[in-house]
Amino acid sequence: MEPLNPYPPRFMLNVDKLLPCHSVDCVIIGYDKGALSVLVLKWKDLPLWSLPGGFIKIDEHLDDAALRILKDRTGLDMPFLTQFHTFGQAGGKRMSVESDIRELIKSNYPSIGTWFENRFITTGYLAMVQPSECRLVPDELSESCVWMPIKDLPELIYDHNAIVDQAIAHVKRQLNYLPVGKSLLPETFTMKTFKLLYESILGRELDRANFQKKMLKLGMLTRRGKENKGGAHKAPYLYSFDHDKYQELLEKGIGFIP
Amino acid sequence: MEPLNPYPPRFMLNVDKLLPCHSVDCVIIGYDKGALSVLVLKWKDLPLWSLPGGFIKIDEHLDDAALRILKDRTGLDMPFLTQFHTFGQAGGKRMSVESDIRELIKSNYPSIGTWFENRFITTGYLAMVQPSECRLVPDELSESCVWMPIKDLPELIYDHNAIVDQAIAHVKRQLNYLPVGKSLLPETFTMKTFKLLYESILGRELDRANFQKKMLKLGMLTRRGKENKGGAHKAPYLYSFDHDKYQELLEKGIGFIP
């Protein structure tokens, strides 16, 4: 039987150079046209979807493994990335579909033996990126790497849907402490776009006037002129972050969540 | 050479029944006489202190390992326990003293071979308990298990001081979402005790009148009469939590942090 692809996956080349029971899964969040999206991978030849993930080298910091995986899939260096939870349920079969994956891997890469059958604990990392800045590259077992709106996510393998849910819950709880604006918005944005971002994270509508008043009062936004839309006198103002002030607010908590 | 104690440590009896590269460390916080304290272990025959910790059984949920370790050291069932961070730095020698520990273990328990020399990733759990309810039991490698005020903590092995620092930073950031009152205070308490708890977590003084006004306005406290101190007319009021209201506030964030 032909391997699924002409080159063996990097992570399987040297399983003795990897930690035997720990993996990393990345919830990479992007924001575009008023919707939060997550980066997901479609497996080759199987009707399976998963989060971008991978293993940890024996001599690699866990955080560096997450950065490496993120860079491999998106091309991004030094984006905003934070660890949010380590998932440690026991039992090899986290989902019925798992045996399909194992069979697929074992038949295509017999050299890895039973390594993949270890029990794995996985650490979830959350990244917030701008889709337009990403160069998406699938991993060796996948045929594509695409953005999917969170509310339309397909069923993912293992506990990956639960990992996404927990990432979003983390963003909600930590909204005052995470650079969601800086990471997810372009350099300049309208107040409407800014409010839509908060609404899509919180999952509810916010009052327009109250939102604008609070945000302006915090002093972290710089007004940059009007959006170029033809009829300029009716165009909304564009804003950008005063990065020093925004950083200062993030460090002590913006104290905004309404 | 005699073993340090007459029975071999449980975690070393069956290293093949344990996950090979993951451990758990618990920051167990108590509050007494206006000071936050942490539970620490003194090693036998070595001038070393460490956090309570242990390993994970092959078929055990990571969270259950933390509950087991907590119960072994304190006798507590079902206390408040939450995972706060997984520490994944690479490199075997996390501290120069580590080789002492390895020599000690290897010379006393040669059967474990090199297992203890694996690289370990450790997940930090935070527990909040009432010291008066704990029955402290050292582990097999320790001669004592004691409360130490956080501000007087000794140097701990590995990165354990950094783990404590990160646990406290987590409590500060998440103060509105953690049951610090319910977990750390007795059934009834004075407003002064309540304020001292928040002050010791935040590391700064709070205004007395403002604190009391905000806390009462939240509606989560029930007034229970005056403290029994002899001169009753001058004694302060005692309060307890309205548990349903407190729980409701915790779930959406108390929104108190001043």
Side-chain angles (χ1 to χ4, degrees):
Chain A
M1 184 177 174
E2 277 291 296
L4 288 174
N5 50 19
Y7 50 96
R10 273 164 297 174
F11 70 76
M12 291 174 190
L13 274 177
N14 291 296
V15 293
D16 56 334
K17 297 277 174 62
L18 297 174
L19 279 186
C21 65
H22 205 109
S23 62
V24 164
D25 284 299
C26 295
V27 179
I28 306 175
I29 296 178
Y31 180 66
D32 195 26
K33 300 185 183 70
L36 289 179
S37 293
V38 171
L39 200 62
V40 287
L41 298 167
K42 166 71 174 67
W43 284 60
K44 284 178 179 157
D45 301 335
L46 280 176
L48 299 177
W49 293 85
S50 61
L51 290 173
F55 300 104
I56 304 133
K57 298 175 193 169
I58 285 287
D59 58 355
E60 184 178 44
H61 195 299
L62 181 60
D63 296 348
D64 291 335
L67 282 167
R68 171 175 53 79
I69 292 162
L70 183 67
K71 185 172 185 184
D72 283 351
R73 299 284 80 72
T74 66
L76 294 175
D77 249 326
M78 303 295 294
F80 173 76
L81 182 70
T82 187
Q83 186 196 108
F84 67 93
H85 193 75
T86 293
F87 298 83
Q89 70 215 77
K93 289 196 186 300
R94 293 195 290 180
M95 202 177 127
S96 60
V97 82
E98 185 170 19
S99 54
D100 288 354
I101 302 173
R102 289 186 175 171
E103 282 312 307
L104 177 79
I105 292 169
K106 278 163 73 179
S107 61
N108 284 282
Y109 309 104
S111 68
I112 66 161
T114 58
W115 187 83
F116 203 67
E117 297 185 10
N118 291 337
R119 171 186 168 194
F120 281 89
I121 283 176
T122 195
T123 296
Y125 281 81
L126 164 73
M128 298 195 289
V129 305
Q130 294 185 39
S132 65
E133 294 184 353
C134 295
R135 181 180 45 78
L136 301 184
V137 181
D139 68 18
E140 298 84 345
L141 289 173
S142 307
E143 63 188 33
S144 63
C145 180
V146 295
W147 292 105
M148 287 261 193
I150 284 182
K151 60 182 189 301
D152 304 326
L153 271 190
E155 187 180 346
L156 305 174
I157 65 167
Y158 301 143
D159 50 353
H160 287 192
N161 290 89
I163 291 175
V164 173
D165 290 346
Q166 197 143 341
I168 300 300
H170 178 84
V171 176
K172 274 190 199 179
R173 262 196 319 272
Q174 295 281 80
L175 194 52
N176 283 337
Y177 296 91
L178 295 176
V180 295
K182 187 173 173 185
S183 302
L184 294 175
L185 294 177
E187 179 64 22
T188 60
F189 45 86
T190 64
M191 192 61 77
K192 184 178 175 183
T193 301
F194 196 25
K195 180 167 87 80
L196 277 173
L197 171 60
Y198 271 77
E199 288 178 337
S200 41
I201 291 168
L202 291 168
R204 59 188 164 89
E205 279 190 41
L206 300 171
D207 179 72
R208 195 191 61 81
N210 195 32
F211 180 87
Q212 171 153 336
K213 187 177 147 198
K214 278 193 174 179
M215 284 302 178
L216 291 177
K217 193 177 168 192
L218 288 168
M220 65 184 179
L221 297 178
T222 308
R223 205 162 81 177
R224 302 282 292 270
K226 292 199 170 191
E227 203 176 21
N228 190 357
K229 269 196 172 179
H233 64 290
K234 288 211 116 187
Y237 280 107
L238 287 168
Y239 296 89
S240 65
F241 287 107
D242 174 336
H243 288 297
D244 290 344
K245 179 68 178 170
Y246 185 50
Q247 196 56 41
E248 187 192 319
L249 283 171
L250 279 180
E251 275 160 26
K252 63 177 193 178
I254 291 179
F256 159 73
I257 300 181
Chain B
M1 184 176 175
E2 278 291 297
L4 288 174
N5 50 18
Y7 51 95
R10 273 164 297 173
F11 71 74
M12 290 174 189
L13 274 176
N14 289 297
V15 293
D16 56 337
K17 298 278 174 62
L18 297 173
L19 280 186
C21 65
H22 205 108
S23 61
V24 164
D25 285 300
C26 294
V27 179
I28 306 176
I29 296 180
Y31 179 68
D32 196 26
K33 301 184 183 70
L36 289 179
S37 292
V38 172
L39 200 63
V40 288
L41 298 166
K42 166 72 173 65
W43 283 60
K44 285 179 178 157
D45 301 335
L46 281 176
L48 300 176
W49 292 85
S50 61
L51 290 174
F55 301 103
I56 302 132
K57 297 174 193 170
I58 286 286
D59 58 356
E60 185 179 43
H61 195 298
L62 181 60
D63 296 347
D64 291 334
L67 282 167
R68 172 174 54 78
I69 292 162
L70 183 67
K71 185 173 185 182
D72 283 350
R73 300 284 80 74
T74 65
L76 295 174
D77 249 326
M78 304 293 295
F80 174 76
L81 182 70
T82 188
Q83 185 196 108
F84 66 95
H85 193 74
T86 294
F87 298 83
Q89 70 215 79
K93 289 199 186 300
R94 293 195 290 181
M95 201 177 127
S96 60
V97 81
E98 184 170 20
S99 54
D100 289 352
I101 301 173
R102 289 187 174 172
E103 282 312 307
L104 177 79
I105 291 170
K106 278 163 72 178
S107 60
N108 285 282
Y109 308 103
S111 68
I112 66 161
T114 57
W115 188 83
F116 204 67
E117 296 185 11
N118 291 338
R119 171 186 168 195
F120 281 89
I121 282 177
T122 195
T123 296
Y125 280 81
L126 163 74
M128 299 195 288
V129 305
Q130 294 185 38
S132 64
E133 295 185 353
C134 297
R135 180 182 45 79
L136 302 183
V137 181
D139 69 17
E140 299 83 346
L141 289 173
S142 306
E143 63 189 32
S144 62
C145 180
V146 296
W147 292 105
M148 287 260 193
I150 284 181
K151 58 181 193 301
D152 303 327
L153 273 189
E155 186 179 348
L156 305 174
I157 64 167
Y158 301 141
D159 50 354
H160 287 191
N161 290 89
I163 291 175
V164 172
D165 290 346
Q166 197 144 341
I168 300 299
H170 178 83
V171 176
K172 273 190 201 179
R173 263 196 319 271
Q174 295 281 78
L175 194 51
N176 283 337
Y177 295 92
L178 295 176
V180 295
K182 187 174 172 182
S183 302
L184 295 174
L185 293 177
E187 179 64 21
T188 61
F189 46 86
T190 64
M191 193 61 78
K192 185 177 174 184
T193 301
F194 196 25
K195 181 168 85 82
L196 277 173
L197 171 60
Y198 272 77
E199 287 178 339
S200 40
I201 291 168
L202 292 167
R204 59 189 164 88
E205 279 190 41
L206 300 171
D207 179 71
R208 195 190 62 80
N210 196 30
F211 180 86
Q212 171 154 336
K213 187 177 146 198
K214 279 193 175 182
M215 284 302 177
L216 292 178
K217 194 177 167 193
L218 288 168
M220 65 184 180
L221 297 178
T222 308
R223 205 163 81 178
R224 302 281 292 268
K226 291 199 169 192
E227 203 175 20
N228 189 359
K229 268 195 171 178
H233 64 291
K234 287 211 119 189
Y237 280 107
L238 287 168
Y239 295 89
S240 65
F241 287 108
D242 174 335
H243 287 296
D244 290 344
K245 180 68 179 170
Y246 185 49
Q247 196 55 40
E248 186 192 320
L249 283 170
L250 279 179
E251 275 159 26
K252 64 176 193 179
I254 292 180
F256 160 73
I257 301 178

